Amino acid sequence: MWIGIVIAIIVVIAILIIAMYNSFVKLDNKVNEAFSTMDVYLVKRWNMIPKLVDVVKAYAAHEKSTLESIVSLRNGSYESMSEADKIKANVELSKGINKMMAVAEGYPELKSSENFIDLSNKLFKVEDEIANSRKYYNGVVRLFNNKTETFPGNILAKLFGFSSKQMFEAESFERNDVGIDI
């Protein structure tokens, strides 16, 4: 009789461990899916930057340092970057885009250029898509991190090699109020 109870307890514990492991795998896959979705929009923006820089260069030749910093951020192979590197590069790229748009404000003929208007509109749409996908990604990462950092999940997470994921957080420049000229 005692052997039956011990075996039943071991089976229940094994089932719980298997269920928790499977939930870690599912959440990890969800985080990867969320990052991949966001990554599509990040790549769109990544590929749009050279075109926008070229248009701005044509009008703002003496703003060379701002444009060169954006181009240097953009150089390199995006595909070979880790998730953390992609997040860091895109934070820096966002800063550069903000600077470039500020430069564009000083050139009325640039702001009225059809190429610039078209690229700006596309960029704003992509930025909106990035923001939406970042919300989803961060929500999934929060669920995953909660599971890996709370008891008893934290024990099993360490045992199976799962660790907390990095959120895609807003930088201080993104938190600033947007100035609108009327």
Side-chain angles (χ1 to χ4, degrees), residues 83-123:
E83 285 184 9
D85 290 339
K86 287 179 181 181
I87 289 172
K88 183 179 177 188
N90 276 288
V91 166
E92 293 300 316
L93 199 57
S94 291
K95 289 178 189 176
I97 290 169
N98 285 348
K99 286 180 187 175
M100 185 171 51
M101 291 309 205
V103 164
E105 287 295 318
Y107 296 88
E109 64 277 1
L110 170 60
K111 288 182 5 182
S112 63
S113 160
E114 285 185 38
N115 286 339
F116 183 76
I117 292 169
D118 182 50
L119 286 169
S120 295
N121 289 338
K122 286 178 183 175
L123 180 64

Side-chain angles (χ1 to χ4, degrees), residues 48-141:
M48 192 180 299
I49 299 304
K51 295 173 192 160
L52 192 58
V53 167
D54 287 344
V55 170
V56 174
K57 268 185 187 177
Y59 289 90
H62 68 281
E63 302 289 352
K64 191 175 180 180
S65 65
T66 300
L67 300 175
E68 284 176 351
S69 68
I70 295 168
V71 170
S72 70
L73 282 170
R74 171 58 182 74
N75 288 339
S77 176
Y78 187 81
E79 290 79 24
S80 65
M81 291 181 180
S82 68
E83 285 184 9
D85 290 339
K86 287 179 181 181
I87 289 172
K88 183 179 177 188
N90 276 288
V91 166
E92 293 300 316
L93 199 57
S94 291
K95 289 178 189 176
I97 290 169
N98 285 348
K99 286 180 187 175
M100 185 171 51
M101 291 309 205
V103 164
E105 287 295 318
Y107 296 88
E109 64 277 1
L110 170 60
K111 288 182 5 182
S112 63
S113 160
E114 285 185 38
N115 286 339
F116 183 76
I117 292 169
D118 182 50
L119 286 169
S120 295
N121 289 338
K122 286 178 183 175
L123 180 64
F124 290 131
K125 183 178 178 191
V126 168
E127 292 292 338
D128 194 38
E129 291 167 338
I130 289 171
N132 288 329
S133 60
R134 183 165 57 181
K135 286 180 208 172
Y136 176 68
Y137 171 77
N138 284 343
V140 174
V141 168

